[in-house]
Amino acid sequence: MSSQPIPTRVVLLAGPSGSGKSSLAAITGLPVLRLDDFYKESDDPTLPLVAGSADIDWDSPLSWDADAAVAAIVELCRTGRTDVPVYDIATSARVGRERLDIERTPLFVAEGIFAADIVERCQELGVLADALCLRGRPSTTFRRRLLRDLREGRKSVPFLLRRGWRLMRAERSIVARHASLGAHPCAKDEALGRLAAAAAGRHRAPAVRS
């Protein structure tokens, strides 16, 4: 008797900027799709601004191309490969494209601060294995995010400090929003456990919220 191919599904890994999503995804050993590579470019007229400021609001889902991200996830699930943009955060521009090939891997992780915004769409398309939101102490997230952004030269120091304080104050509401969109809030250890369960096919995808 021939075995049926195992359909590929995705675990969406959300959480505030600096919460440790990329680090956690890397240690799972699973293929990873970087959802931050689907940011819009700096000359896009639809980019939102921070209220009362001239700063672009890179923490708004409106700064991100959700349609392209979902299309890439679906193509990975159907074919095991897709072309994805390479995004340079320092210049807010796409600087190329690369081929992501996960072959016949039955599970991969798509991580990014807007992952929760596509939970419902991935569930409706039948490709969702689980959806998680990493959470921790806002002060820890603030330090981790600032050190990373300074090290990588992502934006100017004044911009990073303004953004950092704003996000630290809003972190609990950010996690609550992700939970309302269907991502399960959890710390690193629980997230790893749920990822292992999803890889073993023992975990059901979250129900779509009406």
Side-chain angles (χ1 to χ4, degrees):
M1 180 182 296
S2 62
S3 60
Q4 294 295 318
I6 300 173
T8 297
R9 295 190 300 164
V10 63
V11 173
L12 295 174
L13 182 58
S17 175
S19 58
K21 299 179 296 297
S22 298
S23 299
L24 186 142
I27 66 176
T28 65
L30 296 169
V32 178
L33 174 66
R34 300 184 305 269
L35 295 177
D36 286 355
D37 281 332
F38 294 91
Y39 264 119
K40 297 176 182 177
E41 298 189 90
S42 60
D43 59 354
D44 192 309
T46 66
L47 282 171
L49 298 179
V50 176
S53 168
D55 290 342
I56 293 174
D57 188 356
W58 296 109
D59 299 289
S60 165
L62 297 177
S63 69
W64 185 66
D65 190 344
D67 291 340
V70 171
I73 287 171
V74 171
E75 187 171 20
L76 279 173
C77 290
R78 289 177 177 171
T79 71
R81 60 186 65 86
T82 191
D83 290 324
V84 295
V86 177
Y87 193 89
D88 180 45
I89 292 179
T91 60
S92 304
R94 296 179 181 179
V95 295
R97 296 189 69 83
E98 65 181 12
R99 189 73 159 174
L100 178 59
D101 192 337
I102 66 173
E103 299 180 345
R104 297 182 180 180
T105 306
L107 189 74
F108 67 97
V109 177
E111 63 89 7
I113 64 173
F114 304 122
D117 288 87
I118 57 174
V119 169
E120 183 172 353
R121 291 174 65 177
C122 288
Q123 176 74 313
E124 290 174 345
L125 291 164
V127 298
L128 185 65
D130 201 357
L132 309 173
C133 172
L134 280 185
R135 65 179 178 187
R137 292 186 177 183
S139 59
T140 301
T141 306
F142 171 84
R143 290 194 299 272
R144 184 188 294 122
R145 177 175 55 242
L146 183 60
L147 289 173
R148 177 202 64 194
D149 291 350
L150 289 172
R151 182 177 64 250
E152 298 179 4
R154 291 192 170 194
K155 301 292 179 186
S156 71
V157 174
F159 178 91
L160 293 176
L161 288 172
R162 291 195 301 271
R163 177 178 182 250
W165 284 114
R166 185 174 69 250
L167 290 179
M168 186 172 70
R169 292 193 298 268
E171 182 158 332
R172 289 185 174 85
S173 64
I174 291 170
V175 172
R177 178 179 176 273
H178 290 182
S180 74
L181 292 169
H184 174 70
C186 57
K188 176 182 175 181
D189 288 346
E190 184 181 356
L192 286 171
R194 289 177 69 111
L195 279 159
R202 299 194 307 268
H203 189 78
R204 290 187 176 183
V208 173
R209 303 189 180 201
S210 57

